[in-house]
Amino acid sequence: MAELTKSQIKRRALVKATIELVNNSGFHAAPMSKIAKIANVSPATIYLYFENKQDLVNKVYIEVKASFTEYAFATYDPNMEVAEGFEVIWKRIADFKLKECEEAMFLAQCDNTPMIDEQSREEGIKHLQPLLDLWERGKKEGKIKPLSDYILYAYAINPLSFLMITQKRGRFQLNEDHLEEAYQSAWSSIKI
Amino acid sequence: MAELTKSQIKRRALVKATIELVNNSGFHAAPMSKIAKIANVSPATIYLYFENKQDLVNKVYIEVKASFTEYAFATYDPNMEVAEGFEVIWKRIADFKLKECEEAMFLAQCDNTPMIDEQSREEGIKHLQPLLDLWERGKKEGKIKPLSDYILYAYAINPLSFLMITQKRGRFQLNEDHLEEAYQSAWSSIKI
DNA sequence: TGTATAAAAATGAACGTTCATTCTTTTTTA
DNA sequence: TAAAAAAGAATGAACGTTCATTTTTATACA
């Protein structure tokens, strides 16, 4: 683990506090004063790190999205077979959504509301490129259905968000079996 | 069309204004004053119809959810074959999400944030019962995979929300072909 | 039918609070 | 000891909500 400067520690505490508060209360009930309190920092200090509240949320979104995709592709290698590549990516994404539940919840909220700028949203999408490339190759090799990327995403990846939120709300418990079933559903919805 | 009293007209205007403003700006940027202005009503008038802002949003959610499920099941008959019943329901849901886009966006936002009470959320889930019953029957008849309702929902229904939002944001255009593809994906992800 | 009147509905202005942000001062770091 | 970082208190704007009043509606009676 790299050494963290005091500045980095403060900034991280702010990011974490923002995620926590927005998850539990929503943007509308996440005042700067509370974010500061949870991060053990003065409200004024936030403005040393971020321009304003909108900038804070945008940056948190972009950083969490980046950390999400970094995790998703960490064990993936573009030379893998299409099927293996997809399985590796899918399972890492599932992993992230279950282990880094707070961050995943935050992303889900951002992705379904006008909370963040359209520009930050665009920025976040870019990071998915390796998955889109894999699908492109899969289509060329006749292994993946020739569907729009959005439809592939809707059926192969996005359901995990719904399951994660449902689990977080305590409506049901996702276990290993469920996950394997979900993976089979995901793969069979896109494979030829 | 039944006659509407002036009261009903005002109340509906308020509900519509809430949906519109929350969709475009988010709960945090939908002040009562603006909702009132869009509905052509005094801010004080809102409090004749709703206890407070939270109550307003909760009630709008419950009513939109009810209208959504009423639409979804309007042409469904519990005596239908499982496959036909599912197709009928799925296509009505798709219809609703595309035609009543504003209402569907609002639901998506509520379902992914702490905007509304847990109690109102529970209330909204109840209306889905006919679909769960259909699945139950389908499992008994060996026509639907013996998966948890949440997983079935995640793969068969929820993807439509993602596609609807993506479409609304102008990222791609959903046409008839896409819809048929999406339906095939949905059905093949739950049928045995 | 037309008018008086009480109740209901609706209003705009006002209230107290909370918020995001800034200002001035203090503390920490280099 | 100068500069940078951080703090708490202060500020003005905006918010949700309420209040005092006006307008509309419904009712009763001529």
Side-chain angles (χ1 to χ4, degrees):
Chain A
M1 187 79 88
E3 290 287 326
L4 291 180
T5 67
K6 274 199 170 181
S7 271
Q8 287 172 316
I9 290 172
K10 285 221 155 93
R11 194 179 186 285
R12 290 202 181 194
L14 282 168
V15 169
K16 189 154 172 277
T18 303
I19 294 170
E20 184 182 326
L21 210 51
V22 168
N23 275 352
N24 295 326
S25 320
F27 188 120
H28 70 285
M32 297 297 256
S33 54
K34 271 193 198 168
I35 293 174
K37 188 164 285 175
I38 292 179
N40 258 310
V41 139
S42 158
T45 303
I46 301 180
Y47 293 85
L48 298 175
Y49 295 90
F50 303 96
E51 281 175 43
N52 50 41
K53 193 177 178 184
Q54 187 61 58
D55 180 56
L56 166 65
V57 176
N58 286 340
K59 291 213 167 109
V60 171
Y61 173 77
I62 290 173
E63 287 169 29
V64 171
K65 192 79 163 193
S67 126
F68 163 68
T69 37
E70 192 198 314
Y71 192 97
F73 297 124
T75 58
Y76 167 69
D77 172 346
N79 296 316
M80 287 173 171
E81 283 291 311
V82 169
E84 188 195 355
F86 178 73
E87 180 171 358
V88 159
I89 294 170
W90 192 94
K91 294 201 164 160
R92 287 287 289 187
I93 290 179
D95 240 34
F96 183 91
K97 301 229 181 210
L98 294 179
K99 289 197 190 128
E100 309 296 335
C101 190
E102 286 288 318
E103 306 200 355
M105 286 282 290
F106 182 80
L107 290 183
Q109 197 167 161
C110 290
D111 287 335
N112 289 281
T113 68
M115 214 170 85
I116 57 157
D117 290 348
E118 189 53 31
Q119 200 188 331
S120 305
R121 216 184 286 286
E122 293 265 11
E123 173 103 23
I125 290 181
K126 283 187 205 149
H127 296 107
L128 273 179
Q129 201 54 48
L131 178 61
L132 306 187
D133 292 343
L134 176 69
W135 283 343
E136 190 55 39
R137 179 156 62 90
K139 290 180 206 172
K140 282 206 186 105
E141 294 176 5
K143 290 171 180 165
I144 285 190
K145 293 180 189 164
L147 301 175
S148 140
D149 286 340
Y150 292 106
I151 293 185
L152 292 177
Y153 195 89
Y155 282 91
I157 306 292
N158 202 60
L160 274 170
S161 289
F162 176 86
L163 293 175
M164 179 264 301
I165 290 176
T166 309
Q167 147 132 340
K168 187 79 196 299
R169 298 221 171 104
R171 299 205 191 284
F172 93 119
Q173 195 57 40
L174 248 172
N175 59 32
E176 281 300 317
D177 289 348
H178 287 139
L179 262 192
E180 189 54 35
E181 289 165 0
Y183 170 68
Q184 292 307 330
S185 294
W187 175 239
S188 66
S189 72
I190 67 167
K191 76 150 192 276
I192 278 181
Chain B
M1 187 78 89
E3 290 287 324
L4 291 179
T5 67
K6 273 200 169 180
S7 271
Q8 287 173 318
I9 291 172
K10 285 222 154 97
R11 195 179 186 284
R12 290 202 182 193
L14 282 168
V15 168
K16 189 154 172 276
T18 303
I19 293 170
E20 184 182 327
L21 209 52
V22 168
N23 275 352
N24 295 325
S25 320
F27 187 119
H28 70 285
M32 297 297 254
S33 54
K34 273 193 198 168
I35 293 174
K37 188 164 286 177
I38 292 179
N40 258 309
V41 139
S42 157
T45 303
I46 302 180
Y47 292 86
L48 298 175
Y49 295 90
F50 304 96
E51 281 176 43
N52 50 42
K53 192 178 179 182
Q54 187 61 57
D55 181 54
L56 166 64
V57 176
N58 286 340
K59 291 214 167 109
V60 172
Y61 173 76
I62 290 173
E63 287 170 28
V64 172
K65 193 80 162 195
S67 125
F68 163 68
T69 38
E70 192 198 314
Y71 191 97
F73 297 124
T75 58
Y76 167 68
D77 171 346
N79 296 316
M80 287 172 171
E81 283 292 310
V82 170
E84 188 194 356
F86 178 74
E87 182 171 355
V88 160
I89 295 170
W90 191 94
K91 294 202 164 160
R92 288 286 289 185
I93 291 179
D95 240 34
F96 183 91
K97 301 229 181 211
L98 293 180
K99 289 199 191 128
E100 309 297 334
C101 190
E102 285 288 317
E103 306 200 354
M105 286 282 290
F106 182 81
L107 290 182
Q109 197 167 162
C110 290
D111 287 335
N112 289 282
T113 68
M115 214 170 86
I116 56 156
D117 289 349
E118 188 53 33
Q119 199 188 331
S120 306
R121 217 185 286 288
E122 294 266 10
E123 172 102 23
I125 290 182
K126 282 186 206 152
H127 296 107
L128 273 179
Q129 200 55 47
L131 179 61
L132 306 188
D133 291 344
L134 176 70
W135 283 344
E136 191 53 39
R137 180 155 63 91
K139 289 181 207 171
K140 282 206 185 107
E141 295 177 4
K143 291 171 179 165
I144 287 191
K145 293 180 189 163
L147 301 175
S148 140
D149 287 339
Y150 293 106
I151 294 186
L152 292 178
Y153 195 88
Y155 281 93
I157 306 293
N158 202 60
L160 274 171
S161 290
F162 176 86
L163 292 176
M164 180 262 303
I165 291 177
T166 309
Q167 146 133 340
K168 186 81 196 298
R169 297 220 173 103
R171 299 205 191 285
F172 93 120
Q173 194 58 40
L174 247 172
N175 59 31
E176 281 300 318
D177 289 348
H178 286 140
L179 262 192
E180 189 54 34
E181 288 166 3
Y183 170 69
Q184 292 306 331
S185 295
W187 175 238
S188 67
S189 72
I190 67 167
K191 76 148 193 276
I192 278 181

